[in-house]
Amino acid sequence: MTNPPRPRIYLAGPEVFLPDAIEIGRRKKALCVAAGFEGVFPLDLPVDLAGLSRPEQAARIQAACEAQMCACDLAIANMTPFRGVSMDAGTAYEMGFMRASGKPVLGYTNVTADLAARARAFRVRGIPPSDCDRPDAEIEDFGLADNLMMAVAVTASGATVHVHAAASGAEMIDLTAFARCLDDARRLLAVS
């Protein structure tokens, strides 16, 4: 008798841009296996980009990631701010894609300041010329870890955005809150 397949979790987050992305993916996938899941890291799928223009490469990568998400049962997103006051834009897209597909989205952040506090601190430092924020523009202030669309996607999935104070410099590699998301996934998918 064969064992039923493990539920699959899409591991969304900006870690794919880090120099040790493959190792971080391995660590996350090992935690998934220990919790009864199969982790699917965006860099798992070899994508042949040879001979393609940069726009064609981008389209092929996006199609591969969407195919991976379609084959997963839920997503866990690293919502830790990346390249700004908010989470990675690609990760936000992946969260929306999974929600629109009717699949649960779980999330975590390793920064404890909420979105409004981060936005206010950003303004104090001075808005860079390439950013369209302005002093008279409203700052979203619901006490949430990130934009309400992202945070509510997690709560609507039956979970909470797990917030963890990672050590300085470890914000992208600390997996404490990720492990809490795995507990939520076990509950949501009734994995024992």
Side-chain angles (χ1 to χ4, degrees), residues 83-156:
R83 296 188 177 140
V85 299
S86 196
M87 66 184 292
D88 170 58
T91 304
Y93 174 85
E94 291 168 331
M95 290 176 74
F97 184 92
M98 291 296 280
R99 281 290 296 158
S101 299
K103 298 175 182 183
V105 176
L106 310 179
Y108 70 96
T109 178
N110 287 323
V111 172
T112 58
D114 69 15
L115 176 63
R118 296 191 313 266
R120 289 185 187 101
F122 173 77
R123 284 188 179 168
V124 168
R125 289 189 303 269
I127 300 168
S130 61
D131 192 296
C132 296
D133 191 11
R134 340 175 336 179
D136 62 343
E138 183 178 342
I139 291 176
E140 181 180 304
D141 190 359
F142 296 102
L144 300 173
D146 212 292
N147 176 277
L148 71 91
M149 299 298 282
M150 302 295 89
V152 172
V154 174
T155 57

Side-chain angles (χ1 to χ4, degrees), residues 3 48 80 99 106 114 163:
N3 291 331
D48 183 9
T80 304
R99 281 290 296 158
L106 310 179
D114 69 15
V163 178

Side-chain angles (χ1 to χ4, degrees), residues 4-107:
R6 293 171 177 247
R8 301 179 86 217
I9 298 178
Y10 185 78
L11 306 173
E15 296 91 343
V16 296
F17 299 113
L18 300 179
D20 55 349
I22 300 299
E23 178 55 31
I24 294 168
R26 279 191 202 122
R27 289 177 54 213
K28 283 185 160 187
K29 289 166 49 174
L31 289 171
C32 287
V33 168
F37 299 104
E38 178 186 349
V40 177
F41 194 62
L43 298 179
D44 286 347
L45 191 60
V47 180
D48 183 9
L49 303 177
L52 300 177
S53 68
R54 290 188 328 177
E56 291 169 329
Q57 289 175 1
R60 182 149 309 163
I61 292 167
Q62 191 231 20
C65 289
E66 285 187 356
Q68 284 179 311
M69 288 186 279
C70 288
C72 288
D73 300 292
L74 65 90
I76 295 179
N78 180 350
M79 299 170 66
T80 304
F82 186 73
R83 296 188 177 140
V85 299
S86 196
M87 66 184 292
D88 170 58
T91 304
Y93 174 85
E94 291 168 331
M95 290 176 74
F97 184 92
M98 291 296 280
R99 281 290 296 158
S101 299
K103 298 175 182 183
V105 176
L106 310 179

